[in-house]
Amino acid sequence: MKNEGKKDEVRKEIERAEELNGKVISEKNGKILPFEVDRRSVYKCVQCGTCRSVCPVFDVVGWESANTRGRMLIIKSLLEGRPPSEDVLSSLASCTTCGICAAKCPAGANPPEVVEAARAQLVKCGVTTEAQEKLRAAVTTSGNSFGETRSRLHWLSDAECTKLPAKSDYIYFVGCFDSYRYPEFAKKTFEVLQRFGVTLLPDERCCASPLLRTGFREDAEKVMQHNLEQIRKVGAHTIITSCAGCYTTLKNNYPEELRVISLPEFLAEHLEELNLKRLDLTVTYHDPCHLGRHNKVYEAPRKVIQAICTLKEMKNIKENSRCCGGGGGVRIGYPDISLELARNRLGDVPEGVDYIVTSCPLCVRNLRDAGGDIEIIDIVELVAMAME
């Protein structure tokens, strides 16, 4: 009888919510939760199918639910009362949030924003993948996306750490990847930036991009607040970062009025002061999704490259650039799909180039792991070659 009474209460709550046009879809800890996604964004999608021709994941797996149109239909069904369950995860969690669908959408929809909002609602309802939970645990317990326990500044000597300025107008936000997977990038970047009085945060943590992209917004807020407190202590007004994921997060998700610039933008602004020599090299450039399509940083990295050597463009560039497959939690959740996307991107590389240059460590890793005959390097490595 108690269960029957509880069911009646739940039914009444659902009816009340529907009367208020708030579709209620799940119960968690005895509470009924609404699915709070911007309906206008969802209904902008007119199911024209333009996105099917550009969605990189659909190109690999071929499922209707794995393209943008399919994802929007699933989110629409959740808004209209479909109970959230694990069967929607393979669709929503496999989106790299690359943004090419938004760039091509004739109706002006922004599916990556909708997908991220839907993921956040599923998290509230307790519907997550094992990979999502693993990523969340790593960031919240260790302060980085890899679960590393080493100091974030392990790539500096103790003497170098003690000499870091406590106050500065400029901070180099290193990010998880350069801190722990490519410390040689971090060291080279900081060697360049130090001459401009740039310092480091004493206790930098993950920028929170992995948490935001996969739906853990409450956890992300705590991490971002910690970094903001660190930035205030240093007194900086400008944040420089060499990671595309960190860049888009610091620029678009942090609440403070900070100037956030990417490393290529900073380098482009200070080319004359760097005294770079010309190199007898021909390279091509891969546009990271979160630096390029999401934030329109296209010309700065090309300006830096062309000051050093010859640039030979890929088949698909700038707003048409193919995703490397590493973003949106897909690398950790769907590694086979992720690497197939990277292999597809390598197919765009022109002949006769010495290096593939990019400006995102996640792109470097995914493209390197995909194989290929041409070495992938970060733009700071090219700059370091020209400064030697």
Side-chain angles (χ1 to χ4, degrees), residues 43-246:
Y43 286 99
K44 273 185 181 179
C45 176
V46 295
Q47 306 303 319
C48 68
T50 301
C51 52
R52 293 173 90 253
S53 65
V54 294
C55 177
V57 176
F58 179 64
D59 187 41
V60 168
V61 301
W63 313 323
E64 184 65 22
S65 61
N67 70 54
T68 307
R69 182 171 71 175
R71 293 187 184 105
M72 295 294 270
L73 279 170
I74 286 171
I75 294 168
K76 183 172 178 284
S77 72
L78 290 168
L79 276 172
E80 294 173 352
R82 173 181 178 172
S85 57
E86 292 187 3
D87 64 350
V88 304
L89 289 178
S90 60
S91 171
L92 300 188
S94 63
C95 174
T96 66
T97 67
C98 74
I100 195 165
C101 53
K104 300 296 182 182
C105 180
N110 192 334
E113 282 188 1
V114 177
V115 167
E116 286 184 15
R119 287 173 177 173
Q121 291 303 303
L122 291 176
V123 166
K124 282 186 180 180
C125 297
V127 182
T128 59
T129 66
E130 184 179 339
Q132 279 177 284
E133 292 294 343
K134 182 180 177 182
L135 192 60
R136 173 185 175 272
V139 175
T140 55
T141 58
S142 65
N144 64 80
S145 56
F146 303 110
E148 288 270 3
T149 56
R150 289 178 293 170
S151 164
R152 224 169 158 86
L153 300 181
H154 70 92
W155 45 274
L156 287 178
S157 68
D158 291 341
E160 287 171 320
C161 285
T162 58
K163 292 178 183 177
L164 290 173
K167 296 286 184 180
S168 176
D169 290 336
Y170 298 90
I171 285 170
Y172 166 38
F173 194 96
V174 186
C176 299
F177 257 95
D178 281 2
S179 293
Y180 295 112
R181 294 297 177 264
Y182 298 117
E184 67 275 19
F185 293 0
K187 197 164 185 65
K188 286 175 181 176
T189 301
F190 193 47
E191 285 172 359
V192 173
L193 296 179
Q194 268 185 308
R195 65 183 64 194
F196 300 100
V198 179
T199 192
L200 301 166
L201 292 180
D203 187 25
E204 178 189 298
R205 294 183 188 171
C206 176
C207 69
S209 176
L211 297 174
L212 289 168
R213 305 289 86 80
T214 53
F216 296 100
R217 290 181 172 178
E218 290 184 10
D219 295 299
E221 287 295 332
K222 295 173 186 176
V223 175
M224 290 192 291
Q225 190 56 43
H226 171 86
N227 285 329
L228 281 168
E229 289 170 4
Q230 293 282 304
I231 293 167
R232 292 190 196 107
K233 284 180 183 178
V234 175
H237 58 62
T238 299
I239 314 298
I240 305 161
T241 183
S242 53
C243 173
C246 292

